[in-house]
Amino acid sequence: AVGCMEFGGCFLNKRLSRSNQHGTVRRTTDAFQMAISVLYQNPVQNFAITPNNLTDAPKVCLDFLKEVPTVWDETRYVAGCPGETAVIARRNADVWYVAAVNAADAPLEIAVKDVLEALDVADADVEVISGGNQPERKKAASGKKLSVAKNDGLVMIVNME
């Protein structure tokens, strides 16, 4: 048997090292890291945090990592282009978590209404975690249009209860 290690977790240090003082600079935003906690599907979900993250990572990120499910009831492709963009939705009970990431030079434009239609959801409470390296969690109306810059991401939480 051949063994392999798969890493699909989010990483909150700005540098790819334990100390956050040395190593390669992470090119993606904190919002992107939240999105990949939904986007990637692994047998074991990984959240790579170091002790400094408990004081230097945005509170919205730490709160979301405590909330995000690690088991999904349903997964749907919403949009994307290989190597450029991905918008994937995963449902746990009555809540959809929609992850969007962008590696393309042009901004990724997402209409909340279009996402709700793709999920066959007529009415729901929608919140969005976005804002690059200073992410915030805000309510989003169905008429809202969202933009995701290069190396950025967002998470849309669609609560159908």
Side-chain angles (χ1 to χ4, degrees), residues 32 35-36 38-40 76-90 97-104 106-110 115 148-149 152-156:
F32 181 101
I36 65 172
V38 175
L39 183 68
Y40 292 166
R76 289 196 190 172
Y77 166 83
V78 177
C81 179
E84 294 184 8
T85 61
V87 183
I88 301 292
R90 298 191 192 278
Y97 293 82
V98 183
V101 294
N102 184 16
L108 169 62
E109 304 295 333
I110 303 169
V115 172
V148 182
D152 200 2
L154 65 79
V155 177
M156 190 180 307

Short mmCIF file of all heavy atoms in Angstrom, two decimals, residues 32 35-36 38-40 76-90 97-104 106-110 115 148-149 152-156:
data_model
loop_
_atom_site.label_atom_id
_atom_site.label_comp_id
_atom_site.label_asym_id
_atom_site.label_seq_id
_atom_site.Cartn_x
_atom_site.Cartn_y
_atom_site.Cartn_z
N PHE A 32 -9.89 34.04 2.20
CA PHE A 32 -9.61 32.88 1.34
C PHE A 32 -9.42 31.63 2.20
O PHE A 32 -9.94 30.56 1.89
CB PHE A 32 -8.35 33.16 0.51
CG PHE A 32 -7.96 32.06 -0.44
CD1 PHE A 32 -8.25 32.16 -1.79
CD2 PHE A 32 -7.28 30.93 0.00
CE1 PHE A 32 -7.87 31.16 -2.68
CE2 PHE A 32 -6.89 29.93 -0.88
CZ PHE A 32 -7.19 30.04 -2.23
N ALA A 35 -12.64 30.27 3.33
CA ALA A 35 -13.34 29.62 2.22
C ALA A 35 -12.81 28.20 1.98
O ALA A 35 -13.59 27.28 1.73
CB ALA A 35 -13.23 30.46 0.95
N ILE A 36 -11.50 28.00 2.07
CA ILE A 36 -11.00 26.65 1.78
C ILE A 36 -11.34 25.66 2.88
O ILE A 36 -11.32 24.46 2.64
CB ILE A 36 -9.50 26.62 1.44
CG1 ILE A 36 -8.62 27.04 2.60
CG2 ILE A 36 -9.21 27.43 0.18
CD1 ILE A 36 -7.14 26.82 2.36
N VAL A 38 -14.22 25.21 3.77
CA VAL A 38 -15.45 24.64 3.21
C VAL A 38 -15.15 23.98 1.87
O VAL A 38 -15.64 22.88 1.58
CB VAL A 38 -16.52 25.74 3.01
CG1 VAL A 38 -17.76 25.19 2.30
CG2 VAL A 38 -16.88 26.37 4.34
N LEU A 39 -14.34 24.61 1.07
CA LEU A 39 -14.08 24.16 -0.30
C LEU A 39 -13.41 22.79 -0.36
O LEU A 39 -13.82 21.92 -1.13
CB LEU A 39 -13.21 25.19 -1.01
CG LEU A 39 -12.87 24.95 -2.47
CD1 LEU A 39 -14.11 25.08 -3.33
CD2 LEU A 39 -11.81 25.92 -2.92
N TYR A 40 -12.37 22.58 0.43
CA TYR A 40 -11.64 21.32 0.39
C TYR A 40 -12.38 20.25 1.16
O TYR A 40 -12.87 20.49 2.26
CB TYR A 40 -10.24 21.47 0.99
CG TYR A 40 -9.30 22.34 0.20
CD1 TYR A 40 -8.12 22.78 0.77
CD2 TYR A 40 -9.56 22.73 -1.10
CE1 TYR A 40 -7.23 23.57 0.07
CE2 TYR A 40 -8.68 23.52 -1.80
CZ TYR A 40 -7.52 23.94 -1.22
OH TYR A 40 -6.64 24.72 -1.91
N ARG A 76 -22.76 20.87 -3.80
CA ARG A 76 -23.17 21.32 -5.13
C ARG A 76 -22.11 22.24 -5.73
O ARG A 76 -21.58 23.12 -5.07
CB ARG A 76 -24.48 22.08 -5.09
CG ARG A 76 -25.67 21.22 -4.79
CD ARG A 76 -26.94 21.93 -5.12
NE ARG A 76 -28.07 21.17 -4.62
CZ ARG A 76 -29.31 21.63 -4.62
NH1 ARG A 76 -29.57 22.83 -5.09
NH2 ARG A 76 -30.28 20.88 -4.15
N TYR A 77 -21.87 22.03 -7.01
CA TYR A 77 -21.05 22.95 -7.80
C TYR A 77 -21.93 24.16 -8.12
O TYR A 77 -23.06 24.01 -8.57
CB TYR A 77 -20.60 22.25 -9.09
CG TYR A 77 -20.05 23.17 -10.13
CD1 TYR A 77 -18.73 23.58 -10.10
CD2 TYR A 77 -20.86 23.64 -11.16
CE1 TYR A 77 -18.22 24.42 -11.07
CE2 TYR A 77 -20.36 24.49 -12.13
CZ TYR A 77 -19.04 24.88 -12.08
OH TYR A 77 -18.54 25.72 -13.04
N VAL A 78 -21.41 25.35 -7.90
CA VAL A 78 -22.16 26.56 -8.21
C VAL A 78 -21.57 27.24 -9.45
O VAL A 78 -22.29 27.58 -10.37
CB VAL A 78 -22.20 27.54 -7.02
CG1 VAL A 78 -22.92 28.83 -7.38
CG2 VAL A 78 -22.85 26.89 -5.81
N ALA A 79 -20.26 27.41 -9.47
CA ALA A 79 -19.60 28.05 -10.61
C ALA A 79 -18.10 27.83 -10.49
O ALA A 79 -17.60 27.44 -9.45
CB ALA A 79 -19.91 29.55 -10.63
N GLY A 80 -17.40 28.11 -11.59
CA GLY A 80 -15.94 28.05 -11.53
C GLY A 80 -15.31 27.72 -12.85
O GLY A 80 -15.98 27.32 -13.80
N CYS A 81 -14.00 27.93 -12.87
CA CYS A 81 -13.18 27.63 -14.03
C CYS A 81 -11.87 27.08 -13.49
O CYS A 81 -11.19 27.77 -12.70
CB CYS A 81 -12.95 28.89 -14.84
SG CYS A 81 -11.91 28.62 -16.29
N PRO A 82 -11.48 25.86 -13.86
CA PRO A 82 -10.28 25.25 -13.29
C PRO A 82 -9.06 26.18 -13.36
O PRO A 82 -8.80 26.80 -14.38
CB PRO A 82 -10.06 23.99 -14.14
CG PRO A 82 -11.44 23.64 -14.61
CD PRO A 82 -12.13 24.97 -14.83
N GLY A 83 -8.36 26.28 -12.25
CA GLY A 83 -7.17 27.10 -12.16
C GLY A 83 -7.44 28.58 -11.98
O GLY A 83 -6.50 29.37 -11.85
N GLU A 84 -8.70 28.98 -11.98
CA GLU A 84 -9.03 30.40 -11.87
C GLU A 84 -9.98 30.69 -10.71
O GLU A 84 -9.65 31.48 -9.84
CB GLU A 84 -9.64 30.92 -13.18
CG GLU A 84 -8.64 30.91 -14.32
CD GLU A 84 -9.21 31.51 -15.58
OE1 GLU A 84 -10.33 32.07 -15.56
OE2 GLU A 84 -8.54 31.41 -16.62
N THR A 85 -11.17 30.11 -10.74
CA THR A 85 -12.18 30.39 -9.73
C THR A 85 -12.89 29.11 -9.31
O THR A 85 -12.93 28.14 -10.08
CB THR A 85 -13.24 31.39 -10.23
OG1 THR A 85 -13.91 30.81 -11.36
CG2 THR A 85 -12.62 32.72 -10.62
N ALA A 86 -13.46 29.14 -8.12
CA ALA A 86 -14.30 28.02 -7.65
C ALA A 86 -15.36 28.57 -6.71
O ALA A 86 -15.06 29.39 -5.84
CB ALA A 86 -13.46 26.97 -6.94
N VAL A 87 -16.58 28.11 -6.93
CA VAL A 87 -17.69 28.41 -6.02
C VAL A 87 -18.40 27.09 -5.77
O VAL A 87 -19.02 26.53 -6.67
CB VAL A 87 -18.67 29.46 -6.59
CG1 VAL A 87 -19.76 29.79 -5.55
CG2 VAL A 87 -17.94 30.72 -7.04
N ILE A 88 -18.25 26.59 -4.55
CA ILE A 88 -18.80 25.29 -4.16
C ILE A 88 -19.66 25.48 -2.93
O ILE A 88 -19.30 26.22 -2.01
CB ILE A 88 -17.67 24.28 -3.83
CG1 ILE A 88 -16.76 24.07 -5.03
CG2 ILE A 88 -18.22 22.97 -3.31
CD1 ILE A 88 -17.39 23.36 -6.21
N ALA A 89 -20.82 24.81 -2.90
CA ALA A 89 -21.72 24.89 -1.75
C ALA A 89 -21.80 23.52 -1.08
O ALA A 89 -21.88 22.49 -1.75
CB ALA A 89 -23.11 25.32 -2.20
N ARG A 90 -21.76 23.54 0.25
CA ARG A 90 -21.91 22.31 1.04
C ARG A 90 -22.98 22.58 2.09
O ARG A 90 -22.99 23.62 2.74
CB ARG A 90 -20.60 21.93 1.70
CG ARG A 90 -19.50 21.62 0.70
CD ARG A 90 -18.30 20.99 1.39
NE ARG A 90 -17.15 20.94 0.54
CZ ARG A 90 -16.91 20.00 -0.38
NH1 ARG A 90 -17.78 19.05 -0.58
NH2 ARG A 90 -15.80 20.02 -1.09
N TYR A 97 -23.15 26.30 3.30
CA TYR A 97 -21.90 27.06 3.39
C TYR A 97 -21.37 27.12 1.96
O TYR A 97 -21.06 26.08 1.37
CB TYR A 97 -20.90 26.38 4.31
CG TYR A 97 -21.34 26.37 5.76
CD1 TYR A 97 -22.23 25.42 6.23
CD2 TYR A 97 -20.87 27.34 6.65
CE1 TYR A 97 -22.64 25.42 7.56
CE2 TYR A 97 -21.27 27.34 7.97
CZ TYR A 97 -22.16 26.38 8.42
OH TYR A 97 -22.56 26.39 9.72
N VAL A 98 -21.29 28.32 1.42
CA VAL A 98 -20.85 28.51 0.04
C VAL A 98 -19.46 29.14 0.07
O VAL A 98 -19.28 30.22 0.63
CB VAL A 98 -21.83 29.41 -0.73
CG1 VAL A 98 -21.39 29.55 -2.19
CG2 VAL A 98 -23.25 28.87 -0.64
N ALA A 99 -18.50 28.46 -0.51
CA ALA A 99 -17.12 28.94 -0.55
C ALA A 99 -16.81 29.44 -1.95
O ALA A 99 -17.11 28.76 -2.93
CB ALA A 99 -16.16 27.81 -0.18
N ALA A 100 -16.21 30.62 -2.01
CA ALA A 100 -15.78 31.17 -3.29
C ALA A 100 -14.33 31.63 -3.16
O ALA A 100 -13.98 32.32 -2.21
CB ALA A 100 -16.67 32.35 -3.68
N VAL A 101 -13.49 31.21 -4.12
CA VAL A 101 -12.10 31.64 -4.16
C VAL A 101 -11.75 32.07 -5.58
O VAL A 101 -12.33 31.59 -6.55
CB VAL A 101 -11.12 30.52 -3.69
CG1 VAL A 101 -11.34 30.21 -2.21
CG2 VAL A 101 -11.25 29.27 -4.52
N ASN A 102 -10.78 32.98 -5.66
CA ASN A 102 -10.41 33.53 -6.95
C ASN A 102 -8.89 33.55 -7.11
O ASN A 102 -8.19 34.13 -6.29
CB ASN A 102 -10.96 34.95 -7.11
CG ASN A 102 -10.69 35.53 -8.47
OD1 ASN A 102 -10.36 34.82 -9.41
ND2 ASN A 102 -10.84 36.84 -8.60
N ALA A 103 -8.38 32.94 -8.19
CA ALA A 103 -6.97 33.00 -8.53
C ALA A 103 -6.77 33.75 -9.84
O ALA A 103 -5.65 33.92 -10.29
CB ALA A 103 -6.40 31.59 -8.66
N ALA A 104 -7.85 34.21 -10.44
CA ALA A 104 -7.76 34.94 -11.71
C ALA A 104 -7.43 36.40 -11.47
O ALA A 104 -7.65 36.94 -10.39
CB ALA A 104 -9.09 34.82 -12.46
N ALA A 106 -8.89 38.97 -12.94
CA ALA A 106 -10.14 39.74 -12.89
C ALA A 106 -10.93 39.36 -11.64
O ALA A 106 -10.90 38.20 -11.20
CB ALA A 106 -10.97 39.47 -14.14
N PRO A 107 -11.66 40.30 -11.06
CA PRO A 107 -12.49 39.97 -9.90
C PRO A 107 -13.57 38.94 -10.25
O PRO A 107 -14.09 38.93 -11.38
CB PRO A 107 -13.14 41.30 -9.52
CG PRO A 107 -12.31 42.35 -10.17
CD PRO A 107 -11.72 41.72 -11.39
N LEU A 108 -13.88 38.10 -9.30
CA LEU A 108 -14.98 37.14 -9.42
C LEU A 108 -16.23 37.84 -8.89
O LEU A 108 -16.25 38.27 -7.74
CB LEU A 108 -14.67 35.88 -8.61
CG LEU A 108 -15.80 34.87 -8.41
CD1 LEU A 108 -16.28 34.30 -9.75
CD2 LEU A 108 -15.35 33.75 -7.48
N GLU A 109 -17.24 37.97 -9.73
CA GLU A 109 -18.48 38.64 -9.34
C GLU A 109 -19.54 37.58 -9.02
O GLU A 109 -19.77 36.68 -9.82
CB GLU A 109 -18.99 39.56 -10.46
CG GLU A 109 -17.97 40.59 -10.92
CD GLU A 109 -17.60 41.61 -9.85
OE1 GLU A 109 -18.42 41.87 -8.96
OE2 GLU A 109 -16.48 42.14 -9.91
N ILE A 110 -20.17 37.73 -7.84
CA ILE A 110 -21.16 36.75 -7.39
C ILE A 110 -22.41 37.49 -6.94
O ILE A 110 -22.33 38.37 -6.08
CB ILE A 110 -20.62 35.92 -6.20
CG1 ILE A 110 -19.33 35.21 -6.57
CG2 ILE A 110 -21.67 34.93 -5.71
CD1 ILE A 110 -18.62 34.60 -5.38
N VAL A 115 -26.77 32.58 -6.39
CA VAL A 115 -26.37 31.47 -5.52
C VAL A 115 -27.60 30.81 -4.91
O VAL A 115 -27.72 29.58 -4.89
CB VAL A 115 -25.39 31.94 -4.41
CG1 VAL A 115 -25.13 30.85 -3.40
CG2 VAL A 115 -24.09 32.42 -5.04
N VAL A 148 -14.94 39.24 -5.50
CA VAL A 148 -13.80 38.56 -4.88
C VAL A 148 -12.56 38.86 -5.72
O VAL A 148 -12.49 38.47 -6.88
CB VAL A 148 -14.04 37.03 -4.80
CG1 VAL A 148 -12.87 36.35 -4.12
CG2 VAL A 148 -15.34 36.71 -4.09
N ALA A 149 -11.59 39.54 -5.12
CA ALA A 149 -10.36 39.91 -5.82
C ALA A 149 -9.44 38.70 -5.95
O ALA A 149 -9.66 37.65 -5.34
CB ALA A 149 -9.65 41.02 -5.04
N ASP A 152 -8.20 36.15 -3.08
CA ASP A 152 -9.15 36.39 -2.00
C ASP A 152 -10.27 35.36 -2.08
O ASP A 152 -10.34 34.57 -3.03
CB ASP A 152 -9.71 37.81 -2.11
CG ASP A 152 -10.31 38.34 -0.81
OD1 ASP A 152 -10.27 37.62 0.22
OD2 ASP A 152 -10.83 39.47 -0.82
N GLY A 153 -11.12 35.37 -1.09
CA GLY A 153 -12.23 34.44 -1.05
C GLY A 153 -13.32 34.98 -0.15
O GLY A 153 -13.20 36.04 0.46
N LEU A 154 -14.40 34.21 -0.07
CA LEU A 154 -15.48 34.53 0.85
C LEU A 154 -16.24 33.27 1.20
O LEU A 154 -16.13 32.25 0.50
CB LEU A 154 -16.40 35.61 0.28
CG LEU A 154 -17.24 35.30 -0.97
CD1 LEU A 154 -18.48 34.48 -0.68
CD2 LEU A 154 -17.67 36.62 -1.60
N VAL A 155 -16.98 33.34 2.27
CA VAL A 155 -17.89 32.28 2.66
C VAL A 155 -19.27 32.90 2.83
O VAL A 155 -19.41 33.93 3.49
CB VAL A 155 -17.49 31.59 3.97
CG1 VAL A 155 -18.52 30.54 4.38
CG2 VAL A 155 -16.11 30.96 3.86
N MET A 156 -20.26 32.31 2.19
CA MET A 156 -21.64 32.70 2.35
C MET A 156 -22.33 31.64 3.19
O MET A 156 -22.24 30.46 2.88
CB MET A 156 -22.29 32.82 0.97
CG MET A 156 -23.66 33.44 0.96
SD MET A 156 -24.35 33.53 -0.72
CE MET A 156 -23.06 34.37 -1.63
#
